[in-house]
Each structure stands twice: as structure tokens, then as C-alpha cells.
Amino acid sequence: MYNLVNRNQIHRHTHTCFKRNAHLCRFAFPCKPSWETKIIEENSPQFLQNGGRFCEQKRAAHEKWVNNYCPKILEFWDCNMDIQPCGSNEALAHYVTKYVAKVEPEDFNDGIK
């Protein structure tokens, strides 16, 4: 599991982290340590600091660059993922719509013949 996490789940800043001249990573990395998993109120300052995520997951200080994952799925899929709870049907619909409408980078097909 250690090797899978290090290969797939460690966040490394790229240009996409700081789109639109942002000074903070738009994926909310590094994550802050937390002794427990807790729900964050949608209208609170913590909600924005947590990258718009309503759940702050339990995490040790040395895990601040580790993206959320499910061990079983990581073993099977062996790829990067961001597993997080979905708070409502509306939130799920918003996520799916945003993901389906996502524009791929122009160089995505450059290596495909």
C-alpha cells in the first residue's frame, strides 16, 4: 500500500494548482492535520479553506500531501483518485456535470496515433 500511495496519491504542485493567479493551491494542498474526520458547514470559512469540501478527513501531519483514496480501489485500479463523501444528490449532480463537461488539455491526443 505504501508504494501505491507514493506512486499515485502524493500531490505535486503544477501550473493547474494556481490558475487565475491564485496564491493558494486550488486543490487545498497541503492539507491540514486533523485528529478526527468532521463535517464542515457549507457557509463557514473552513469550507473555503478546505477547497469547497464539506468533509475534513482525519489525517496526520506527515500525510498533508496525500490525496484521499480507498485502499481497495487503489489496489485494483493503481491510479490517482480523490475519494470523498458526497453530501447530497445536488452535490453529486453538480460533480458529474462538471466532470463530463470538463475540457481536456489540447496536447491530450498528441501521443496517440
Side-chain angles (χ1 to χ4, degrees), residues 46-108:
Q46 291 174 314
F47 182 75
L48 296 174
Q49 292 168 353
N50 202 32
R53 296 177 179 170
F54 74 92
C55 181
E56 181 180 289
Q57 294 189 327
K58 180 179 177 179
R59 151 182 337 261
H62 70 276
E63 299 171 320
K64 65 184 177 182
W65 296 102
V66 178
N67 205 5
N68 304 329
Y69 65 95
C70 170
K72 294 284 186 196
I73 296 173
L74 184 58
E75 282 182 304
F76 176 76
W77 213 269
D78 191 12
C79 68
N80 176 263
M81 65 188 72
D82 182 9
I83 301 292
Q84 53 188 303
C86 186
S88 67
N89 290 337
E90 291 80 11
L92 180 59
H94 173 77
Y95 175 80
V96 170
T97 303
K98 185 176 162 185
Y99 190 82
V100 169
K102 181 178 170 182
V103 176
E104 292 295 336
E106 290 181 23
D107 60 351
F108 181 73

Side-chain angles (χ1 to χ4, degrees), residues 9-14 17 25 27 29 65-67:
Q9 295 304 117
I10 304 299
H11 179 77
R12 293 167 184 87
H13 287 313
T14 67
C17 293
C25 175
F27 302 109
F29 281 97
W65 296 102
V66 178
N67 205 5

Side-chain angles (χ1 to χ4, degrees), residues 22-34:
H23 299 291
L24 298 173
C25 175
R26 70 186 181 110
F27 302 109
F29 281 97
C31 298
K32 67 179 186 172
S34 179

